[in-house]
Amino acid sequence: MEEKKIKHVCQNCGWEGSKWHGRCPQCSSWNSIVEELQPLSSSGKRFSLGSKDSVPLPFSKIAKDSLQRYPSGLTEFDRVLGGGLTPGAFILLGGDPGIGKSTLLLQVCGNLAKKYKTLYISAEESARQTALRANRLKVDHSNLLFFSEGSLEKILHQSERNKPEVMVVDSIQTIYLDSLPSAPGTVSQVRESASRLMSYAKSCGIAIFIVGHVTKEGSLAGPRVLEHLVDTVLSFEGDAHYSFRILRSTKNRFGPSNEIAVFEMGDGGLEEITNPSRVFLREKSEDRIGSSVFTAMEGSRPLLCEIQALTVSSYLSIPRRTALGVDLNRIQMVAAVLDKYMGTELGKRDLFVNLAGGLKITEPASDLAVALAILSSRYKKPLHRQTCFFGELGLTGELRACRFSRERVKEAEKLGFQEIYLPKSVQSYLKKDKFKIKLNFKDHLEEFSFFKTKLD
């Protein structure tokens, strides 16, 4: 009989120790350490990335074949992956429960099965449940196989038997190894299962998707090593009150990271939105007080979105500062700069800032658009709906340069905007370009003097 010993493992960071702690010594999280049985020796088939006779080689001797990619049938999905699905890729998809992760992957599998043999494995749903979803999505192909199983040994056995080119495992937290006595979802099970799947994907050239659960804080559940093992980390985001879903790549070894794709959830599944700027601006059909348009950059894609601001008299000793979709710390900084250089007296007023459409933007280039939306609300002066803005705001009130200025201007011009306000420091960078849109270069926040009127 195999000898076993007890270890105490943190389910948040993977720390292991010989005794229990209320607080993890490594990540400082409370009540995250559980007791696990660990065998002194593990058995199971391993897959090597190279043969036993392989030796180190210089790069000049390694074949430089062009990277083959499988088109998924969804243009936006392929763009986030870097141009398509790569054989041997190990991809992690995470997102909140019910956001549509399984729906997205089932649609992708249905398209891939037209050319490539695909195996969909679910340890959370029965075959009947998945078939009902497949019928709704109109996914039906003889090359798409379904297998409801949680044992990794049985999954790998069926994969070697059917030899698929693409495989989906939904989800990694429900997969387990029979050789490990701990429960599915524990750190040791997730780490070992992911390691086996990664080795199998690389050695056999199979593209594998794994679905990961997220914690209540929004981060991927399980050990951090899970994100290091995979080639690509995809995050599927969305708001329960909106039909839009955003697929974002936070890590990608086969293409640029921080790319996004926008989908809309409908009765027939997820539909691609090839021009998300028009979708997020379709409600802005007239000049409105407290509303500005910001030219954002998500990866290599320019995206125009609407920023809304509201200032009202506060009945509290400490006025409220609320931000949805934008960084609250930057909102507080922008409010302080406006008080200093524009005399807005926001210290006595509640301030609310919202990014319309359920988007989330963190880049500093949104400072100017946020500041002008606040000024518009404070002075009750609407901004022209055919005008957009971008620029980082310094603590001294100056406007600082931002990356991808040319791409931002081109996107605004393509959507029919008449003028754009941007930092003066990028003027030399754009002087060789000819744009139909009017460029208004500004150096300091005080140059927006048309807002300086008598306050109520």
Side-chain angles (χ1 to χ4, degrees), residues 68 214 244 309 329:
Q68 180 189 2
V214 296
F244 300 116
N329 291 325

Side-chain angles (χ1 to χ4, degrees), residues 106 118-123 125-131 144-149:
L106 194 56
T118 306
L119 177 60
Y120 191 99
I121 297 158
S122 176
E125 295 180 327
S126 65
R128 186 178 295 274
Q129 286 177 298
T130 308
L144 177 56
L145 306 178
F146 177 80
F147 188 41
S148 180
E149 181 56 56

Side-chain angles (χ1 to χ4, degrees), residues 121-292:
I121 297 158
S122 176
E124 298 179 343
E125 295 180 327
S126 65
R128 186 178 295 274
Q129 286 177 298
T130 308
L132 289 173
R133 182 186 291 115
N135 290 335
R136 179 172 58 87
L137 300 176
K138 299 180 180 178
V139 173
D140 185 15
H141 201 281
S142 57
N143 268 347
L144 177 56
L145 306 178
F146 177 80
F147 188 41
S148 180
E149 181 56 56
S151 171
L152 184 60
E153 287 88 349
K154 295 180 181 179
I155 291 172
L156 294 179
H157 173 71
Q158 289 298 327
S159 179
E160 289 182 310
R161 183 178 179 181
N162 291 277
K163 301 198 179 302
E165 296 169 273
V166 180
M167 186 165 71
V168 173
V169 178
D170 186 6
S171 66
I172 190 62
Q173 276 81 13
T174 56
I175 302 300
Y176 62 90
L177 282 162
D178 296 327
S179 57
L180 292 179
S182 53
T186 56
V187 168
S188 57
Q189 285 283 9
V190 171
R191 181 172 52 204
E192 186 66 18
S193 298
S195 179
R196 297 273 186 93
L197 286 170
M198 186 271 293
S199 299
Y200 181 67
K202 302 300 181 185
S203 61
C204 300
I206 299 175
I208 297 181
F209 288 94
I210 59 172
V211 177
H213 295 168
V214 296
T215 63
K216 60 182 180 181
E217 290 82 13
S219 58
L220 285 165
R224 198 69 178 179
V225 70
L226 185 61
E227 297 179 50
H228 293 286
L229 278 174
V230 299
D231 298 313
T232 305
V233 179
L234 302 178
S235 176
F236 206 38
E237 306 166 359
D239 194 310
H241 304 290
Y242 295 93
S243 60
F244 300 116
R245 302 289 186 267
I246 298 176
L247 181 68
R248 189 188 307 271
S249 65
T250 57
K251 172 189 175 182
N252 193 355
R253 290 173 179 163
F254 302 109
S257 59
N258 293 321
E259 288 284 358
I260 70 162
V262 182
F263 298 89
E264 186 170 11
M265 181 67 79
D267 295 335
L270 292 162
E271 298 179 3
E272 295 179 280
I273 298 178
T274 56
N275 193 343
S277 296
R278 291 190 184 277
V279 174
F280 293 124
L281 294 177
R282 63 187 177 188
E283 303 290 339
K284 189 175 174 60
S285 58
E286 58 185 17
D287 300 348
R288 293 178 182 173
I289 293 175
S291 174
S292 66

Side-chain angles (χ1 to χ4, degrees), residues 258 297 299 363 365 390 401-408 426:
N258 293 321
M297 286 297 298
E363 61 171 328
F390 74 88
C402 307
R403 298 188 305 158
F404 305 109
S405 299
R406 182 178 291 108
E407 289 78 2
R408 298 176 198 262
V426 302

Side-chain angles (χ1 to χ4, degrees), residues 280-281 283-294 305-310 352-354 356 368-378 380-389 417 451:
F280 293 124
L281 294 177
E283 303 290 339
K284 189 175 174 60
S285 58
E286 58 185 17
D287 300 348
R288 293 178 182 173
I289 293 175
S291 174
S292 66
V293 177
F294 166 52
C305 50
E306 181 185 0
I307 292 180
Q308 300 171 341
L310 175 66
F352 306 89
V353 179
N354 175 48
L368 179 59
V370 170
L372 293 179
I374 295 173
L375 287 173
S376 174
S377 176
R378 184 69 180 96
K380 299 179 181 178
K381 285 188 174 184
L383 296 166
H384 196 276
R385 63 186 179 88
Q386 293 297 326
T387 304
C388 55
F389 313 87
F417 280 78
F451 278 115

